[in-house]
Every structure is written in structure tokens, then in C-alpha cells.
Amino acid sequence: MSLTVQFKFFDVSQVKLADDESSFLAEPGNITSVASGSESVFFGSADGVVRILSQTFKVVRSFKAHDTGAITHMKQVQGTSLLVTIAEDLSNEPVLKVWALDKLEKKTGIPRCQSTLTIHNGRKQFPISAFAALEDLSQLAVGFANGAVTVVRGDLIHDRGARQRTVFESEEPITGIEFREGNITTLYIATTGRILTLVISGRGQGQPAKSLDETGCGVGCMAVDKATRDVVVARNDAIYYYGLHGRGPPFGYEGEKRMISTFKDYVAIVSPPKSNAMPRGNPLSRAFGIGPTDDVFNTSQFTLLNTEMKFVAHQEQISSQVKAIVSEWGDLFVLTMDGKIFRYHEKPFAQKLEILYQRNLYVLAIHLAQKAGLDSAQQNVILRKFGDFLYQKGDYDTAMQQYLKAIDNTEPSQVIRKFLDTQRIHNLIEYLEELHDHHKATSDHTTLLLNCYAKLKDVDKLEEFIKSPGDLKFDLDTAISMCRQGGYYDQAAYLARKHGEHELVVDILIEDSRRYAEALAYIWRLEPEVAYFNLMKYAAVLLQQCPKDTTQIFIDYYTGSFRPKKDAIVIPNAPVTSGMSGGISIASNAVQNLAALLPLPYMNVSSVQSPASAGEQKSTLSQAQIVETTVEEPAPEYKVPKPRTAFSAFVDHAQEFIVFLEACIKSDNLREDDKVDLYTTLFEMYLHTATSKKEGERRAWENKAKKLVEGKNIPIDTSNVLLLSHLSNFRDGTILVCEQQGLYFDIFRSYTSTQDTQGAIQALKKYGPEEPALYPAALAYFTSDPEILAEAGDELDAVLKKIDDDGLMAPLQVIQTLSVNGVATMGMIKKYLATTIERERLEIATNRRTIETFRSDTDTKKSELSNLATKPVVFQAMRCKICAKPLDLPTVHFLCSHSFHQRCLSAEEDVSDESVECPLCSQQNQTVRAIRRAQVESAERHDMFLDALRRGKDGFGVVSEWFGRGVMGVGSSE
């Protein structure tokens, strides 16, 4: 392959030397060898002098290295101050010296010679044609024009001796020698006809030389690539690289080559102009660069070739032949036969890029940037320019490839704007996907990508995008929103589920997909708190669409027994037939559909599959069934909410509400305040349901309501029962509450208000013994209307008899009550009046006799008092009433006709004191006084009088009694 791409990547300048410094260069044939290293350039001359030049190309030191012969080969050991020189003349064997340039002899002032060695060639006087040395100078190789190679081993630095051995002999002259170091040290030997390798240390040492190529090279046409340690050989047709295992691929570059050297990534090649005829001499002369006499005056072509990238970095014609090529200080120097030195300085990388840009060689620019180790940001600049160039040419696919490579350091909008056209939407999708893969996408990029998928209706790509493994590459909320807007509800639900957005999953299933059973199944598989939030949010629609299952989840949650459902994948051996689906419940179908849509929480992915028999078709996951698993574990702990928080969800769902309330009432862990809410609400729902039913069903619901509030300790407020019963015209509830509260009069009045005479009669018989006031009310009701009176029948007489027997009303009150409506006749109460009049006549007669008796007794008492106060009293008692002995003085007589010895009464008491009483009559007198005192005290207690008046059946009798006690008096005295 011929290389034709050429550039001017080097700036060339001639090194300006002072006249006194350049004189040794200008003398023809004076410079016989050139070397560089350790910040210096070394020139060896024909007279054995070594000159050391600094970076400014001034001779900083010169010394006589050899007394005889010309210095034909030199090597500076990089990083040290050691210099190896070889001088030779054909009359003697070559002499090798090692110099320590930093150590000067005190007497002469020249560098110290560390060691001197004569190189043997079997006493054959042939010139040295090639020389190579290891960096530590432990081994050196010298090739001669007679085809012999001598290897020198030893410590030449410290002059501790060295051994020489001829390791190779050939009939062809040696044109090049190079070392390759590694686990083994290999010597590459070039002759005019072959390329060989010889192991001189390590495994394989002592074996004969191995031929790598049956074609040799000329003198100066072998070098070493310091980066790869490969040996580079230049021939007229190409540049060849030789590694450990043989020759590598050649890099075609035709033309005669006289000298090569390696510099950085380049191979420096010196060749005659292509127009010149090839020298017509013998092969040996051509191999050593010896041609006709006029070749000395020919110009040379100097080329810097990058064989890896296959381009010429610099090429020019030099007016004189090249003597040597060396590199130091980062530049390349060429010494010509006429003593001129040219500096080749590589242009800055930015300038090289500009040259490539001008020629649109972006691929080469990228390769150069990679080779130079530029960071990704700088490389991406080249890639973007390349992409822009391809875009302008209309090669959109290839341009996009460049933009994708530069995605890390490119503003996405610069690329996106170029590909917004519909015809380039596939390129745009590719770029947006790559943005997401690199986690550089914003929510706007996600929106745009999903819009592109939607525009192309590419569901497969959409699913591949949202189901990509690894970290989240896009804005989740944006992706879900766009999927919903585009109608890709399943994909939106998958995204929400995958990233734990349970509320969004339920919202999508209900609001968008209308898959209510699947939504409920999903809620049932969430943690309690999350499930509760979603259940309450969508309770109304779920109760409308899935009443039974929704009610059950409410019951489970509010009774503290909620357990998130868990599932397992069961893959049957044979595919499930469509006929089996009929036996699957709605809930099972919902779970099956949901599992096909997105991964369920608590999904047991370890499928259960029994081994298939031979010949059966292997079941796939698409044939799997999702079944609920029962795991014996306690329900998760969560705070059970108050039942009333669920009431609003059951609006317009009365039957489900009743089921929920009944289940909650049966729960064991109800708080008292919750019981009140539940019982009251359930009672109301029973009555509400009853009002909408026909007679038979209505009665059944009313019985449920009645049974709910029957008994004692029912946690329901009676006022609520009364109110609800009244609003629903549920009389049994009202009656039941009144019975529990002892409000019998209210029960009776509820019957009379509706003119339910039979009910009133039954209430009178049931509650009358405990509530006597019902009889006067019944009397008034029975006589309020002729029809009621006719329906009551004999009950009127029974009521009148009860009133009369118990004295519940005065006869006058009875007459007044009966005369209000004019319904009752005298004939109806004739018996009652006759009995009453007869009884009162007897009572009047009895009262009159009692009055006469009291008057007679009063007159008798008054007479006795008068006699005691005005007439003398004769005491005729003969014995003492205490000791029963005859009376003797002193004797005490009392007006009650009792007499006593004074000593029997009291020796200490003064009998003349009027307070002394008869011992026999004192107790009776005290009783009378106490009664009187109580009467006086009670006469001032009007509250007691009023209370007795309220409780007494005979008010007049009570007044008479209290009048006798002096309650009406103005004063009191004993």
C-alpha cells in the first residue's frame, strides 16, 4: 500500500553555529560519527576527538578519545554521563572505550576512561558495519563487513573484565544489529540478504540464529521503535516491523532508502530523489550506500513517516546528502555532508488539527488525538466537527455516530435541533436513547423521546426503553406522564410499579385503564398504610365496580386483620385451555391480568413446575398462572383507624355498608366510642333499607333494627334512636326506648296521637299498674270521640273503676273530663255516680259522728281543767305509790291524785319547785309535749306540707290534718 497523504507537521530551521564552532563540521570527512543523549549532542571525528555540544550547539567540551583511528561509532547511555566510543583503522583491531564524562582527570582535564577493550574479529581486518549496546553496557554487539558478529559481555563501566565471543558468521556482510530486551535478550542481525534473530541470554541461549526473513537491508536501514521495542527495517518497497514472533504487516512506501531512524511516532527516512537513477554498482556497494562518484553531489529526500496512521508528516529535498540523524530536546536534527545542521520541530497539536480540519481529514484527526492521549473532552471536539461535516454532506447516519461518540461533552440541544425533522426521527431517537444511557437526559429529553416513540407507534422500543435494566436513566415523573398522555397505560403502570410509586399505579389502573379489579388486587398486595391511603382515595369507584371484594378489604383493614396478599407463579406442564377459565373467580382473573401487566408486590418469582414427561411441549412463563399463597404469619402491625372514617366511602352503597358495619360490630377490639358510632349508624341503615322495601322485607329489616337496640347496655344514645325512629316512622323503636327509659306515658300518648285505640288499650294494660296517671289520660282519650268510645267498649268502665278504686281523680274531675267533648252519657256513668254518692254519704255520716265525739271529749277536758284551777282537791290516798307503805309526813301530793313519800321522790330535790312531776305520769306528759313540739315545728315547714299535698290522694284531708297541726295559725305555744 502506498502512502500518499502528506502534511507539513514540522517546522524546519537551520541551526546557526558560530564560525569558530562550525569549522570542524564544514571540513569534509572530519565528522565520522554522531550520537545524542543526556541533553547533549556528541560528534566523533576522524582524528579521534570527541566534541560535546549543548542545546545552543556550542562546544562545551572536546577531548582526544583515541590516538589512532577515526571514531566510527558512539553511544551515550541515556540518563547517565557514560559515553561509549569505538575507533578503528584497517591496520589494527577496533578499540572500544567507555568514558565517564562527569569525572575529569586532574592532570589532563579530560573525562576519565572507565575501560578500554580491543574488539576481536578473528584477526580479520574488516570494518565495523553495525554496533549496538544494552543500556547498562552489560552486553555489546559488533557487526563486521565480513559477516561476523562479536558479542562482548562484562562490566565495562567498572573495568572488571569482559569476554568476547563470535556468535554469528555469515558470508554476507552485517548491515544492522539491534537488541531487544525482555525475559530473554534477543539480538536482531541484518545482512544484505537476511534478517535473523539470536538469543544471547535467557532461555534458548546457545541455539543457532533463527532466520526471520530471507531479505536483508542496507547499512543504516535498521532501527528500533522505542515504544514497541520492535525492530524497524527499511527496504525499497516498504517499511517492515519485526517482533519476537516474526515479521509484522508491512507499511508500503516505495523508493530507495539510504538511512532510517525512529523519532516519536515517526520513522525518519533518507532517500535519494525518485528521479535519480538507482546506482548501477554491485549489490555490496549499493548495500553500503557506495555509488558512483557523482552521487556525493546528489540531493537527498528527507521524509518523516507515520507508519501507523499511514501519512507523511513532513517531506523535503535536502541539497546535500545526510550524514546522520539524531534526536534530543524533543526535536530531530539532521547533519548533512556539507556540515549543516537542520532542526525539525513538530508543530503544536492544535496546529496539526487545524491542518487536518482544512482538508476534512477528521478520522485521521481523531486517531491522532487518541494516539496523543488527549482527554475525552478534546477528542469530542473533533468528533463534533466530524459530525457537523457529515451532516452538511447529508450523511446523517454516520454523522449521528460521531455525535454519539462525543455525547459526554456535547450540549444535547446542538444535536437535537439538527434532527428534529420527521425524516430524521430515527437518528433523533438513537441520540436521545444514548443520552439516557449516559444519564445526561433531562425531563425534556425524556418527553421528546417518548413523543418520538408515540409518533412512530413503536411500542416495542418504548417497552425496551422503560424496562431497561440498571439505574434509572430518565425522569420518572415525566416518563409516566408522557406514557399516560400517549395512551400507553400499561407501560406507565409498569414504570410506577417498578419504582415503588404505588399511588400512581392505582391511579393509572383506575383513571386511565379502567381496570378496577386489577387495581383492587394491587391495593390488596401493598403494605397496610399504603393500601389504606389508596383504598380511601378510590373507595367510591371501587365499591361501584367491585363491591364485594372492596367491602371485604374494608372489613379486614378496620377489624385489624389486614394481611397483604402474596402470590406464587405456577407453570403447568400443559398449556391452560380456555375452558378452564370459566372456573376462575373474578379476583383470580384480575390477579392473572395484573401479573401479565406488571410485577406484583410480594411476587414469589421462584416458579413451581413439575417435570414434564417425554414428548410434552415445555411450558413457558406466558402459560403460568398466578395463585395466592397462604403463609402462616401474624398480620402486620398498623394503627387501625376509627370506623367512622370509612362511612363516607359507602355513600350510595347501603348493602355493602351494612355488611361492613355488621362485621365491625363483631370485632373483638372495639373501643366504646366506636361502638356508639357503629350501632347508631347500623340502626339507621336498617331503618333506611326498610323504608325502601315492600311489606314483608320491610318487616324483616325493622326486626333487625329492633333486635339491635333491644336489651341492656346497648351502646347507642336513646335520643338518636328516638330521632331516627321518628324520621323513619319506626314506632317499635320509639316504644322500645320509652320502655327502657320508663317513659310509659309517652308510649301511651304515641298510640293516642295516631288514634290507635287497640294499641292504647294494650299499653294501658301493660304499663297502667306502674303508671297510674295513664288511667285519667285513657278516660279523656276514650271519651274524646264516639268512634274511639265505641271501639273501647267495656274498657271505659274498667278505667272508671280503677280511678275510683285508687282515688286517681275526684268525682268532680271525672265529671269535668267526661263533659269536655259531650261524648259520654249519664247512662254510661250512672253506676259510677251511684257508688260514689253512696260512699260519700257514708263518709259524711262517719265524719259527723267523729266530730261529735271530739266535741264531747273537748268539753270534758275543759271542765276538768276548770275544776283543777278553781276548786279544792281532796287527797285521800293512804299509801305511797312508790314504796306502797303508809303515808307519813313529809308527804307530796300531785293533782293527778298520786301521793308519795318525799323521801321516795328525791331527798335533794326541792318539792316546792313546780317542775317536779309525778313519776308515774311524767312519761306520758313528755310524749304529749314532744307531739306538740313536732306539730309546732312542722307548721313552719311549708315544703313538707306541699309535698304531702302532692302525694296525698285526698287533698282536703291533707289540708284538714295540717290545719290541725297549726300550719294556718299565726303563732304557736305549748
Side-chain angles (χ1 to χ4, degrees), residues 184-213:
I184 60 175
T185 302
T186 305
L187 183 66
Y188 284 76
I189 304 171
T191 69
T192 56
R194 289 182 298 170
I195 305 293
L196 307 99
T197 59
L198 181 67
V199 179
I200 60 174
S201 65
R203 185 177 180 181
Q205 182 181 357
Q207 295 180 1
K210 178 182 178 182
S211 176
L212 291 182
D213 202 340

Side-chain angles (χ1 to χ4, degrees), residues 27 186 273 394 682 721:
E27 184 180 347
T186 305
L682 183 56
V721 176

Side-chain angles (χ1 to χ4, degrees), residues 94-144:
V95 177
L96 180 148
K97 292 184 179 181
V98 178
W99 304 90
L101 301 178
D102 59 340
K103 299 175 182 179
L104 303 178
E105 297 290 349
K106 293 182 180 180
K107 293 182 180 181
T108 60
I110 65 174
R112 180 185 301 174
C113 180
Q114 297 292 108
S115 60
T116 302
L117 177 70
T118 299
I119 302 174
H120 302 300
N121 186 22
R123 300 183 181 275
K124 298 175 182 178
Q125 303 300 317
F126 282 88
I128 295 174
S129 56
F131 169 70
L134 294 179
E135 291 297 327
D136 58 358
L137 301 183
S138 61
Q139 296 191 75
L140 296 86
V142 179
F144 294 91

Side-chain angles (χ1 to χ4, degrees), residues 844-909:
I844 291 171
T846 301
N847 289 340
R848 285 177 178 173
R849 286 194 297 271
T850 302
I851 290 171
E852 291 298 329
T853 300
F854 286 163
R855 284 178 178 173
S856 175
D857 290 344
T858 301
D859 290 341
T860 302
K861 296 294 182 181
K862 285 182 178 180
S863 177
E864 289 178 359
L865 290 173
S866 177
N867 289 337
L868 289 174
T870 59
K871 294 181 180 180
V873 178
V874 178
F875 300 99
Q876 297 179 348
M878 298 299 292
R879 294 182 179 275
C880 177
K881 291 294 184 182
I882 294 178
C883 62
K885 293 181 180 181
L887 291 172
D888 57 6
L889 296 177
T891 301
V892 179
H893 303 281
F894 290 95
L895 293 178
C896 59
S897 299
H898 297 146
S899 299
F900 307 90
H901 292 123
Q902 184 176 1
R903 63 177 178 276
C904 291
L905 290 176
S906 174
E908 299 178 0
E909 291 181 0

Side-chain angles (χ1 to χ4, degrees), residues 727-738:
L727 294 175
S728 301
N729 295 320
F730 180 52
R731 182 179 297 170
D732 290 349
T734 304
I735 293 172
L736 189 60
V737 172
C738 292

